[in-house]
Coordinates of all heavy atoms in Angstrom, one line a residue:
M252 N -5.2 16.7 3.6 CA -5.4 15.4 4.1 C -5.0 14.5 2.9 O -5.4 14.6 1.8 CB -6.9 15.2 4.3 CG -7.3 13.8 4.7 SD -9.1 13.6 5.0 CE -9.3 14.2 6.6
P253 N -4.1 13.5 3.2 CA -3.6 12.5 2.2 C -4.8 11.7 1.7 O -5.8 11.5 2.4 CB -2.6 11.7 2.9 CG -2.8 11.9 4.4 CD -3.5 13.2 4.5
E254 N -4.6 11.2 0.5 CA -5.7 10.3 -0.2 C -5.7 9.0 0.5 O -6.8 8.4 0.5 CB -5.4 10.2 -1.7 CG -5.4 11.5 -2.4 CD -6.7 12.2 -2.4 OE1 -7.8 11.6 -2.5 OE2 -6.7 13.4 -2.1
Q255 N -4.6 8.5 1.0 CA -4.6 7.1 1.6 C -3.6 7.1 2.7 O -2.5 7.7 2.6 CB -4.2 6.1 0.6 CG -4.3 4.7 1.1 CD -4.3 3.6 0.0 OE1 -4.7 3.8 -1.1 NE2 -3.7 2.4 0.4
V256 N -3.9 6.4 3.8 CA -3.0 6.2 4.9 C -3.1 4.8 5.4 O -4.1 4.1 5.2 CB -3.3 7.2 6.1 CG1 -3.0 8.6 5.7 CG2 -4.6 7.0 6.7
E257 N -2.1 4.4 6.1 CA -2.1 3.1 6.7 C -1.7 3.3 8.2 O -0.8 4.0 8.5 CB -1.0 2.2 6.1 CG -1.1 0.8 6.6 CD -0.1 -0.2 5.9 OE1 -0.2 -0.3 4.7 OE2 0.8 -0.8 6.6
V258 N -2.6 2.8 9.1 CA -2.4 3.0 10.5 C -2.4 1.6 11.2 O -2.8 0.6 10.7 CB -3.5 3.9 11.1 CG1 -3.4 5.3 10.5 CG2 -4.9 3.3 10.8
W259 N -1.9 1.6 12.4 CA -1.7 0.4 13.2 C -2.1 0.6 14.6 O -1.9 1.7 15.2 CB -0.2 0.0 13.2 CG 0.1 -1.2 13.9 CD1 0.0 -2.5 13.4 CD2 0.7 -1.4 15.1 NE1 0.4 -3.4 14.3 CE2 0.9 -2.7 15.4 CE3 1.1 -0.5 16.1 CZ2 1.4 -3.2 16.6 CZ3 1.7 -0.9 17.3 CH2 1.8 -2.3 17.5
G260 N -2.8 -0.4 15.2 CA -3.3 -0.3 16.6 C -2.7 -1.5 17.3 O -2.8 -2.7 16.8
P261 N -2.1 -1.3 18.4 CA -1.4 -2.4 19.1 C -2.3 -3.3 19.9 O -3.4 -2.9 20.3 CB -0.5 -1.7 20.1 CG -1.2 -0.4 20.4 CD -1.9 0.0 19.1
A262 N -1.8 -4.5 20.1 CA -2.5 -5.5 21.0 C -2.2 -4.9 22.4 O -1.3 -4.1 22.6 CB -1.8 -6.8 20.9
T263 N -3.0 -5.3 23.4 CA -2.9 -4.9 24.7 C -3.0 -6.0 25.7 O -3.7 -7.0 25.4 CB -3.9 -3.8 25.1 OG1 -5.2 -4.3 24.9 CG2 -3.7 -2.5 24.3
V264 N -2.4 -5.8 26.9 CA -2.7 -6.7 28.0 C -3.3 -5.9 29.0 O -2.8 -4.9 29.5 CB -1.3 -7.3 28.5 CG1 -1.6 -8.2 29.7 CG2 -0.7 -8.1 27.4
A265 N -4.5 -6.3 29.4 CA -5.3 -5.5 30.4 C -5.6 -6.3 31.6 O -5.0 -7.4 31.8 CB -6.6 -5.0 29.8
N266 N -6.6 -5.9 32.4 CA -7.0 -6.6 33.6 C -5.9 -6.7 34.6 O -5.7 -7.8 35.2 CB -7.6 -8.0 33.3 CG -8.8 -7.9 32.4 OD1 -9.6 -7.0 32.5 ND2 -9.0 -8.8 31.5
W267 N -5.1 -5.7 34.8 CA -4.1 -5.7 35.8 C -4.7 -5.3 37.2 O -5.2 -4.2 37.4 CB -3.0 -4.6 35.5 CG -2.2 -4.9 34.3 CD1 -2.3 -6.0 33.4 CD2 -1.0 -4.2 33.9 NE1 -1.3 -5.9 32.5 CE2 -0.5 -4.9 32.8 CE3 -0.4 -3.1 34.4 CZ2 0.6 -4.4 32.2 CZ3 0.8 -2.7 33.8 CH2 1.3 -3.3 32.7
G268 N -4.6 -6.3 38.1 CA -5.0 -6.0 39.4 C -6.3 -5.3 39.5 O -7.3 -5.7 38.8
P269 N -6.4 -4.3 40.4 CA -7.7 -3.6 40.6 C -8.1 -2.7 39.4 O -9.1 -2.1 39.4 CB -7.5 -2.8 41.9 CG -6.0 -2.5 41.9 CD -5.4 -3.8 41.3
G270 N -7.2 -2.5 38.4 CA -7.5 -1.7 37.3 C -8.5 -2.3 36.3 O -9.1 -1.5 35.5
Y271 N -8.7 -3.6 36.3 CA -9.5 -4.3 35.4 C -9.3 -3.8 34.0 O -8.1 -3.7 33.6 CB -11.0 -4.1 35.8 CG -11.3 -4.6 37.2 CD1 -11.4 -3.8 38.2 CD2 -11.2 -6.0 37.4 CE1 -11.7 -4.3 39.5 CE2 -11.4 -6.5 38.7 CZ -11.7 -5.6 39.7 OH -11.8 -6.1 41.0
D272 N -10.3 -3.4 33.2 CA -10.0 -3.0 31.8 C -9.6 -1.5 31.7 O -9.5 -1.0 30.6 CB -11.3 -3.2 31.0 CG -11.4 -4.7 30.6 OD1 -10.4 -5.4 30.6 OD2 -12.6 -5.1 30.3
L273 N -9.4 -0.8 32.8 CA -9.1 0.6 32.8 C -7.6 0.7 32.7 O -7.1 1.8 32.2 CB -9.5 1.3 34.1 CG -11.0 1.3 34.3 CD1 -11.4 2.0 35.6 CD2 -11.7 2.0 33.1
M274 N -6.8 -0.3 33.0 CA -5.3 -0.2 32.9 C -4.8 -1.3 32.0 O -5.3 -2.4 32.1 CB -4.7 -0.3 34.3 CG -5.1 0.8 35.3 SD -4.5 0.6 37.0 CE -3.0 -0.3 36.9
G275 N -3.9 -1.0 31.2 CA -3.3 -2.0 30.3 C -2.0 -1.5 29.7 O -1.5 -0.4 30.1
A276 N -1.4 -2.4 28.9 CA -0.1 -2.0 28.3 C -0.1 -2.6 26.9 O -0.6 -3.7 26.6 CB 1.0 -2.7 29.1
A277 N 0.5 -1.8 26.0 CA 0.6 -2.2 24.6 C 1.6 -3.3 24.5 O 2.6 -3.4 25.2 CB 1.0 -1.0 23.7
V278 N 1.3 -4.3 23.6 CA 2.2 -5.4 23.4 C 3.0 -5.1 22.1 O 2.4 -4.9 21.0 CB 1.5 -6.7 23.2 CG1 2.4 -7.8 22.9 CG2 0.7 -7.0 24.5
E279 N 4.3 -5.0 22.2 CA 5.1 -4.7 21.0 C 5.0 -5.7 19.9 O 5.1 -6.9 20.2 CB 6.6 -4.6 21.5 CG 7.5 -4.1 20.4 CD 8.9 -3.8 20.9 OE1 9.2 -3.9 22.1 OE2 9.8 -3.6 20.0
G280 N 4.8 -5.2 18.7 CA 4.9 -6.1 17.5 C 3.5 -6.7 17.1 O 3.4 -7.2 16.0
L281 N 2.6 -6.8 18.0 CA 1.3 -7.4 17.7 C 0.2 -6.3 17.6 O 0.2 -5.3 18.3 CB 0.9 -8.3 18.8 CG 1.8 -9.5 19.1 CD1 1.3 -10.3 20.3 CD2 1.8 -10.4 17.9
G282 N -0.7 -6.5 16.6 CA -1.7 -5.5 16.4 C -2.5 -5.6 15.1 O -2.2 -6.6 14.3
D283 N -3.4 -4.7 14.9 CA -4.2 -4.7 13.7 C -3.7 -3.5 12.8 O -3.3 -2.4 13.3 CB -5.7 -4.5 14.0 CG -6.3 -5.7 14.6 OD1 -5.6 -6.8 14.6 OD2 -7.4 -5.6 15.1
R284 N -3.9 -3.7 11.5 CA -3.5 -2.6 10.5 C -4.7 -2.3 9.7 O -5.5 -3.1 9.3 CB -2.3 -3.2 9.6 CG -1.8 -2.2 8.7 CD -0.5 -2.8 8.0 NE -0.7 -4.1 7.4 CZ -1.1 -4.4 6.2 NH1 -1.4 -3.4 5.4 NH2 -1.3 -5.6 5.8
I285 N -4.9 -1.0 9.5 CA -6.0 -0.5 8.6 C -5.4 0.4 7.5 O -4.7 1.3 7.8 CB -7.0 0.3 9.4 CG1 -7.7 -0.6 10.5 CG2 -8.1 0.9 8.5 CD1 -8.7 0.0 11.3
E286 N -5.9 0.1 6.3 CA -5.6 1.0 5.2 C -6.9 1.8 5.0 O -8.0 1.2 4.9 CB -5.4 0.2 3.9 CG -4.2 -0.7 4.0 CD -4.1 -1.7 2.8 OE1 -4.8 -1.5 1.8 OE2 -3.3 -2.7 2.9
A287 N -6.7 3.1 5.0 CA -7.9 4.0 4.8 C -7.7 4.9 3.6 O -6.7 5.5 3.4 CB -8.0 4.9 6.1
R288 N -8.7 4.9 2.7 CA -8.7 5.7 1.5 C -9.8 6.7 1.6 O -10.9 6.4 1.9 CB -8.9 4.8 0.3 CG -7.8 3.9 -0.1 CD -8.2 3.0 -1.3 NE -9.3 2.2 -1.1 CZ -10.5 2.3 -1.7 NH1 -10.7 3.3 -2.5 NH2 -11.5 1.5 -1.4
K289 N -9.5 8.0 1.2 CA -10.4 9.1 1.2 C -10.9 9.2 -0.3 O -10.2 9.2 -1.2 CB -9.7 10.3 1.6 CG -10.6 11.6 1.5 CD -9.8 12.8 1.8 CE -8.9 13.2 0.7 NZ -8.3 14.6 0.8
I290 N -12.3 9.3 -0.4 CA -12.9 9.6 -1.7 C -14.0 10.7 -1.4 O -14.5 10.8 -0.3 CB -13.4 8.4 -2.4 CG1 -14.6 7.7 -1.6 CG2 -12.3 7.4 -2.7 CD1 -15.3 6.6 -2.4
A291 N -14.4 11.3 -2.5 CA -15.5 12.2 -2.4 C -16.8 11.5 -1.9 O -17.0 10.3 -2.3 CB -15.8 12.9 -3.7
G292 N -17.6 12.1 -1.1 CA -18.7 11.4 -0.6 C -19.6 12.2 0.3 O -19.7 13.5 0.2
H293 N -20.1 11.6 1.4 CA -21.1 12.3 2.2 C -20.9 12.0 3.7 O -21.8 12.0 4.5 CB -22.5 11.8 1.9 CG -22.9 12.0 0.4 ND1 -23.1 13.2 -0.1 CD2 -22.9 11.1 -0.6 CE1 -23.3 13.1 -1.4 NE2 -23.2 11.8 -1.7
G294 N -19.6 11.8 4.1 CA -19.3 11.6 5.5 C -19.5 10.2 6.0 O -19.8 10.1 7.2
Q295 N -19.3 9.2 5.2 CA -19.5 7.8 5.6 C -18.2 7.1 5.8 O -17.2 7.4 5.1 CB -20.3 7.1 4.5 CG -21.7 7.8 4.2 CD -22.6 7.7 5.4 OE1 -22.8 6.7 6.0 NE2 -23.2 8.9 5.7
I296 N -18.2 6.1 6.6 CA -17.1 5.1 6.7 C -17.7 3.8 6.1 O -18.8 3.4 6.4 CB -16.8 4.8 8.2 CG1 -16.3 6.1 8.9 CG2 -15.8 3.7 8.3 CD1 -14.9 6.6 8.4
V297 N -16.9 3.3 5.2 CA -17.2 2.1 4.5 C -16.1 1.0 4.7 O -15.0 1.3 4.5 CB -17.4 2.3 3.0 CG1 -17.7 1.0 2.2 CG2 -18.4 3.4 2.7
I298 N -16.5 -0.1 5.2 CA -15.5 -1.2 5.4 C -15.6 -2.1 4.2 O -16.6 -2.8 4.0 CB -15.8 -2.0 6.7 CG1 -15.7 -1.0 7.9 CG2 -14.8 -3.1 6.9 CD1 -16.2 -1.6 9.2
D299 N -14.6 -2.0 3.4 CA -14.6 -2.8 2.1 C -14.2 -4.3 2.4 O -14.8 -5.2 1.7 CB -13.6 -2.2 1.1 CG -14.1 -0.9 0.6 OD1 -15.3 -0.7 0.4 OD2 -13.2 0.0 0.4
K300 N -13.3 -4.5 3.3 CA -12.8 -5.9 3.4 C -12.1 -6.0 4.8 O -11.5 -5.0 5.3 CB -11.7 -6.1 2.3 CG -11.1 -7.4 2.3 CD -10.1 -7.5 1.1 CE -9.5 -8.9 1.1 NZ -8.5 -9.0 0.0
I301 N -12.2 -7.2 5.3 CA -11.5 -7.6 6.6 C -10.7 -8.8 6.3 O -11.3 -9.8 5.8 CB -12.4 -7.8 7.8 CG1 -13.3 -6.5 8.0 CG2 -11.6 -8.1 9.0 CD1 -14.4 -6.7 9.0
T302 N -9.4 -8.8 6.5 CA -8.6 -10.0 6.3 C -8.3 -10.7 7.6 O -8.3 -10.1 8.7 CB -7.3 -9.7 5.5 OG1 -6.5 -8.9 6.4 CG2 -7.5 -9.0 4.2
N303 N -8.0 -12.0 7.5 CA -7.6 -12.8 8.7 C -8.7 -12.9 9.8 O -8.3 -13.2 10.9 CB -6.3 -12.3 9.3 CG -5.2 -12.3 8.3 OD1 -5.1 -13.2 7.5 ND2 -4.3 -11.3 8.4
D304 N -9.9 -12.7 9.5 CA -11.0 -12.8 10.5 C -11.9 -14.1 10.2 O -12.8 -14.3 11.0 CB -11.9 -11.6 10.6 CG -12.8 -11.5 9.4 OD1 -12.4 -11.9 8.3 OD2 -13.9 -10.9 9.5
H305 N -11.6 -14.8 9.2 CA -12.3 -16.0 8.8 C -13.8 -15.7 8.6 O -14.7 -16.6 8.9 CB -12.1 -17.1 9.8 CG -10.6 -17.4 10.0 ND1 -9.8 -18.0 9.1 CD2 -9.9 -17.1 11.1 CE1 -8.6 -18.1 9.6 NE2 -8.6 -17.5 10.8
G306 N -14.1 -14.5 8.2 CA -15.5 -14.1 7.9 C -16.4 -13.9 9.1 O -17.6 -13.8 9.0
K307 N -15.8 -13.7 10.3 CA -16.5 -13.6 11.5 C -16.9 -12.2 11.9 O -17.8 -12.0 12.7 CB -15.7 -14.3 12.7 CG -15.6 -15.8 12.5 CD -14.9 -16.4 13.7 CE -14.8 -17.9 13.5 NZ -14.1 -18.5 14.6
L308 N -16.2 -11.2 11.4 CA -16.4 -9.8 11.8 C -17.3 -9.1 10.8 O -17.3 -9.3 9.6 CB -15.1 -9.0 11.9 CG -14.2 -9.6 13.0 CD1 -12.9 -8.8 13.0 CD2 -14.8 -9.5 14.4
P309 N -18.2 -8.2 11.3 CA -19.1 -7.5 10.4 C -18.5 -6.4 9.6 O -17.6 -5.7 10.1 CB -20.1 -6.9 11.4 CG -19.4 -6.7 12.7 CD -18.4 -7.8 12.7
L310 N -19.0 -6.3 8.4 CA -18.5 -5.2 7.5 C -19.4 -3.9 7.8 O -19.0 -2.8 7.3 CB -18.6 -5.6 6.0 CG -17.7 -6.7 5.6 CD1 -18.0 -7.1 4.1 CD2 -16.2 -6.2 5.7
E311 N -20.5 -4.1 8.4 CA -21.4 -2.9 8.7 C -20.7 -2.0 9.7 O -20.4 -2.4 10.8 CB -22.8 -3.4 9.3 CG -23.6 -4.2 8.4 CD -23.2 -5.7 8.5 OE1 -22.4 -6.1 9.3 OE2 -23.8 -6.5 7.7
T312 N -20.6 -0.7 9.3 CA -19.9 0.3 10.1 C -20.4 0.3 11.6 O -19.6 0.3 12.5 CB -20.1 1.7 9.5 OG1 -19.6 1.6 8.1 CG2 -19.4 2.7 10.3
E313 N -21.7 0.3 11.7 CA -22.3 0.4 13.1 C -22.1 -0.8 14.0 O -22.4 -0.8 15.2 CB -23.8 0.8 13.0 CG -24.7 -0.2 12.4 CD -24.7 -0.3 10.9 OE1 -24.1 0.6 10.2 OE2 -25.3 -1.2 10.4
K314 N -21.6 -1.9 13.4 CA -21.4 -3.1 14.2 C -19.9 -3.5 14.3 O -19.6 -4.6 14.8 CB -22.1 -4.3 13.5 CG -23.6 -4.2 13.5 CD -24.3 -5.3 12.8 CE -25.8 -5.2 12.8 NZ -26.4 -6.4 12.1
N315 N -19.0 -2.6 13.8 CA -17.6 -2.9 13.8 C -16.9 -1.8 14.6 O -17.1 -0.6 14.4 CB -17.1 -3.0 12.4 CG -15.7 -3.4 12.3 OD1 -14.8 -2.6 12.7 ND2 -15.4 -4.5 11.7
T316 N -16.0 -2.2 15.6 CA -15.4 -1.1 16.4 C -14.5 -0.2 15.6 O -14.5 1.0 15.9 CB -14.5 -1.8 17.5 OG1 -13.5 -2.6 16.9 CG2 -15.3 -2.6 18.4
A317 N -13.9 -0.6 14.5 CA -13.1 0.3 13.7 C -14.1 1.3 12.9 O -13.8 2.5 12.8 CB -12.3 -0.4 12.7
G318 N -15.2 0.8 12.5 CA -16.2 1.6 11.8 C -16.8 2.6 12.7 O -16.9 3.8 12.3
I319 N -17.1 2.2 13.9 CA -17.7 3.2 14.9 C -16.7 4.3 15.2 O -17.0 5.5 15.2 CB -18.2 2.4 16.2 CG1 -19.3 1.5 15.8 CG2 -18.5 3.4 17.3 CD1 -19.7 0.5 16.9
A320 N -15.5 3.9 15.5 CA -14.4 4.9 15.8 C -14.2 5.8 14.6 O -14.0 7.0 14.8 CB -13.1 4.2 16.3
G321 N -14.1 5.3 13.4 CA -13.9 6.1 12.2 C -15.0 7.1 12.0 O -14.8 8.2 11.7
R322 N -16.2 6.6 12.2 CA -17.4 7.5 12.0 C -17.3 8.7 13.0 O -17.6 9.8 12.7 CB -18.7 6.7 12.2 CG -19.9 7.6 11.9 CD -21.2 6.8 12.3 NE -21.2 6.6 13.7 CZ -21.6 5.5 14.3 NH1 -22.0 4.5 13.6 NH2 -21.6 5.4 15.6
E323 N -17.0 8.4 14.3 CA -16.9 9.4 15.3 C -15.8 10.4 14.9 O -15.9 11.6 15.2 CB -16.7 8.8 16.7 CG -17.9 8.1 17.2 CD -19.2 8.9 17.2 OE1 -19.1 10.1 17.7 OE2 -20.2 8.5 16.8
A324 N -14.7 9.9 14.4 CA -13.6 10.8 14.0 C -14.0 11.7 12.9 O -13.7 12.9 12.9 CB -12.3 10.0 13.6
L325 N -14.7 11.2 11.9 CA -15.2 12.1 10.8 C -16.2 13.1 11.3 O -16.1 14.3 10.9 CB -15.9 11.2 9.8 CG -15.1 10.7 8.6 CD1 -16.0 10.0 7.6 CD2 -14.4 11.8 7.9
L326 N -17.1 12.7 12.3 CA -18.0 13.7 12.9 C -17.2 14.8 13.6 O -17.5 16.0 13.5 CB -19.0 13.0 13.8 CG -20.0 12.2 13.2 CD1 -20.8 11.4 14.2 CD2 -21.0 13.0 12.4
K327 N -16.2 14.4 14.3 CA -15.4 15.3 15.2 C -14.7 16.4 14.3 O -14.7 17.5 14.7 CB -14.4 14.5 16.0 CG -13.5 15.3 16.9 CD -14.1 15.5 18.2 CE -13.1 16.1 19.1 NZ -13.8 16.8 20.3
I328 N -14.2 16.0 13.2 CA -13.5 16.9 12.3 C -14.5 17.6 11.3 O -14.1 18.5 10.6 CB -12.4 16.3 11.5 CG1 -12.8 15.2 10.6 CG2 -11.3 15.8 12.5 CD1 -11.7 14.7 9.6
G329 N -15.8 17.2 11.4 CA -16.8 17.9 10.6 C -16.7 17.7 9.1 O -17.0 18.6 8.3
R330 N -16.2 16.5 8.6 CA -16.0 16.3 7.2 C -17.2 15.5 6.7 O -17.2 14.3 6.8 CB -14.7 15.5 6.9 CG -13.4 16.3 7.2 CD -13.3 17.6 6.3 NE -13.3 17.3 4.9 CZ -12.2 17.2 4.2 NH1 -11.0 17.4 4.7 NH2 -12.3 17.0 2.9
D331 N -18.1 16.2 6.1 CA -19.3 15.5 5.5 C -19.2 15.5 3.9 O -20.1 15.1 3.2 CB -20.6 16.0 5.9 CG -20.8 17.5 5.6 OD1 -19.9 18.1 5.0 OD2 -21.8 18.0 6.0
D332 N -18.0 15.9 3.4 CA -17.8 15.9 2.0 C -16.9 14.8 1.5 O -16.6 14.7 0.3 CB -17.1 17.2 1.6 CG -15.8 17.4 2.3 OD1 -15.6 16.9 3.4 OD2 -14.9 18.1 1.7
I333 N -16.5 13.9 2.4 CA -15.7 12.7 2.0 C -16.2 11.4 2.6 O -17.0 11.5 3.6 CB -14.2 12.9 2.4 CG1 -14.1 13.1 3.9 CG2 -13.6 14.1 1.7 CD1 -12.7 13.1 4.5
D334 N -15.9 10.3 2.0 CA -16.1 9.0 2.6 C -14.7 8.4 2.8 O -13.8 8.7 2.1 CB -16.9 8.1 1.7 CG -18.3 8.5 1.5 OD1 -18.8 9.3 2.3 OD2 -19.0 7.9 0.6
I335 N -14.6 7.6 3.8 CA -13.3 6.9 4.1 C -13.6 5.4 4.0 O -14.5 4.9 4.6 CB -12.8 7.2 5.5 CG1 -12.6 8.7 5.7 CG2 -11.5 6.5 5.7 CD1 -11.6 9.4 4.9
H336 N -12.8 4.7 3.1 CA -13.0 3.3 2.9 C -11.9 2.6 3.6 O -10.7 2.9 3.5 CB -12.9 3.0 1.4 CG -14.2 3.4 0.7 ND1 -15.0 2.4 0.2 CD2 -14.8 4.6 0.5 CE1 -16.1 3.0 -0.4 NE2 -15.9 4.3 -0.2
F337 N -12.3 1.6 4.5 CA -11.3 0.8 5.3 C -11.1 -0.6 4.7 O -12.0 -1.2 4.2 CB -11.8 0.6 6.7 CG -11.8 1.8 7.6 CD1 -12.4 1.7 8.8 CD2 -11.2 3.0 7.3 CE1 -12.4 2.7 9.7 CE2 -11.2 4.0 8.2 CZ -11.8 3.9 9.4
T338 N -9.8 -1.0 4.7 CA -9.5 -2.4 4.6 C -8.8 -2.7 5.9 O -7.8 -2.1 6.3 CB -8.5 -2.7 3.4 OG1 -9.2 -2.4 2.2 CG2 -8.2 -4.2 3.4
I339 N -9.4 -3.6 6.7 CA -8.9 -4.0 8.0 C -8.1 -5.3 7.9 O -8.6 -6.3 7.4 CB -10.0 -4.1 9.0 CG1 -10.8 -2.8 9.1 CG2 -9.5 -4.5 10.4 CD1 -12.1 -2.9 9.9
H340 N -6.9 -5.3 8.4 CA -6.0 -6.5 8.4 C -5.9 -6.9 9.9 O -5.1 -6.2 10.6 CB -4.7 -6.2 7.8 CG -4.8 -5.7 6.3 ND1 -5.0 -6.6 5.3 CD2 -4.7 -4.5 5.8 CE1 -5.0 -5.9 4.2 NE2 -4.9 -4.7 4.4
K341 N -6.6 -7.9 10.3 CA -6.5 -8.4 11.6 C -5.2 -9.1 11.9 O -4.8 -10.1 11.2 CB -7.7 -9.4 11.9 CG -9.0 -8.8 11.9 CD -9.2 -7.7 12.9 CE -9.2 -8.2 14.3 NZ -9.3 -7.1 15.3
G342 N -4.4 -8.6 12.8 CA -3.1 -9.2 13.2 C -3.3 -10.0 14.5 O -2.3 -10.5 15.0
L343 N -4.4 -9.9 15.0 CA -4.7 -10.6 16.3 C -5.8 -11.6 16.2 O -6.8 -11.4 15.5 CB -5.1 -9.6 17.4 CG -4.1 -8.5 17.7 CD1 -4.7 -7.4 18.5 CD2 -2.9 -9.1 18.4
P344 N -5.6 -12.8 16.8 CA -6.7 -13.7 16.8 C -7.9 -13.2 17.6 O -7.8 -12.6 18.6 CB -6.1 -15.0 17.5 CG -4.8 -14.6 17.9 CD -4.5 -13.2 17.5
L345 N -9.1 -13.5 17.1 CA -10.3 -13.1 17.8 C -10.5 -13.8 19.1 O -10.2 -15.0 19.1 CB -11.5 -13.3 16.9 CG -11.5 -12.7 15.5 CD1 -12.8 -13.1 14.7 CD2 -11.3 -11.2 15.6
G346 N -10.9 -13.2 20.1 CA -11.1 -13.8 21.4 C -9.8 -14.2 22.1 O -9.8 -15.1 23.0
S347 N -8.7 -13.6 21.8 CA -7.4 -14.0 22.3 C -7.1 -13.4 23.6 O -6.1 -13.7 24.3 CB -6.3 -13.6 21.3 OG -6.2 -12.2 21.2
G348 N -7.8 -12.4 24.0 CA -7.5 -11.6 25.3 C -6.5 -10.6 25.1 O -6.0 -10.0 26.0
L349 N -6.1 -10.3 23.8 CA -5.1 -9.3 23.5 C -5.7 -8.0 23.0 O -5.0 -7.2 22.4 CB -4.1 -9.8 22.5 CG -3.2 -11.0 22.9 CD1 -2.5 -11.6 21.8 CD2 -2.3 -10.5 24.0
G350 N -7.0 -7.8 23.2 CA -7.6 -6.5 22.8 C -7.8 -6.4 21.3 O -7.6 -5.3 20.7
S351 N -8.3 -7.5 20.7 CA -8.5 -7.5 19.2 C -9.5 -6.4 18.8 O -9.2 -5.7 17.8 CB -8.9 -8.8 18.7 OG -9.2 -8.9 17.4
S352 N -10.6 -6.2 19.4 CA -11.5 -5.2 19.1 C -11.0 -3.8 19.3 O -11.1 -2.9 18.5 CB -12.8 -5.4 19.9 OG -13.5 -6.6 19.6
G353 N -10.3 -3.7 20.4 CA -9.7 -2.4 20.8 C -8.6 -2.0 19.8 O -8.5 -0.8 19.5
A354 N -7.8 -2.9 19.3 CA -6.7 -2.6 18.4 C -7.3 -2.1 17.1 O -6.8 -1.1 16.5 CB -5.9 -3.9 18.1
S355 N -8.4 -2.6 16.6 CA -9.0 -2.1 15.4 C -9.6 -0.7 15.7 O -9.5 0.2 14.8 CB -10.2 -3.0 14.9 OG -9.6 -4.2 14.5
A356 N -10.2 -0.5 16.8 CA -10.8 0.8 17.1 C -9.7 1.9 17.2 O -9.9 3.0 16.7 CB -11.6 0.7 18.4
V357 N -8.6 1.5 17.8 CA -7.5 2.5 18.0 C -6.9 2.9 16.7 O -6.7 4.0 16.4 CB -6.4 2.0 19.0 CG1 -5.2 2.8 18.9 CG2 -7.0 2.0 20.4
A358 N -6.7 1.8 15.8 CA -6.2 2.1 14.5 C -7.1 3.0 13.7 O -6.7 3.9 13.1 CB -5.9 0.8 13.7

């Protein structure tokens, strides 16, 4: 496992006809970026910083879609010997209808 990775989650357009939020399409070029660093620890996700959110998004793991998704991924792979620290770079405006929360969770 690398010590640090950078990942990207795309914006989406959803609510297509009868599909509602079940069907959507990624939007090219728009999305959120997360830098993730691995350190020795106890299986925790720590959100160190969020940029471009104007202080509106929570740093608490259990209240942030990226934190929740990251915690579940760590549980799935059974790694309780490391912590992952996130820096989330919001590339989407909050409440834009472009899947801002989903982009962070996917990343």
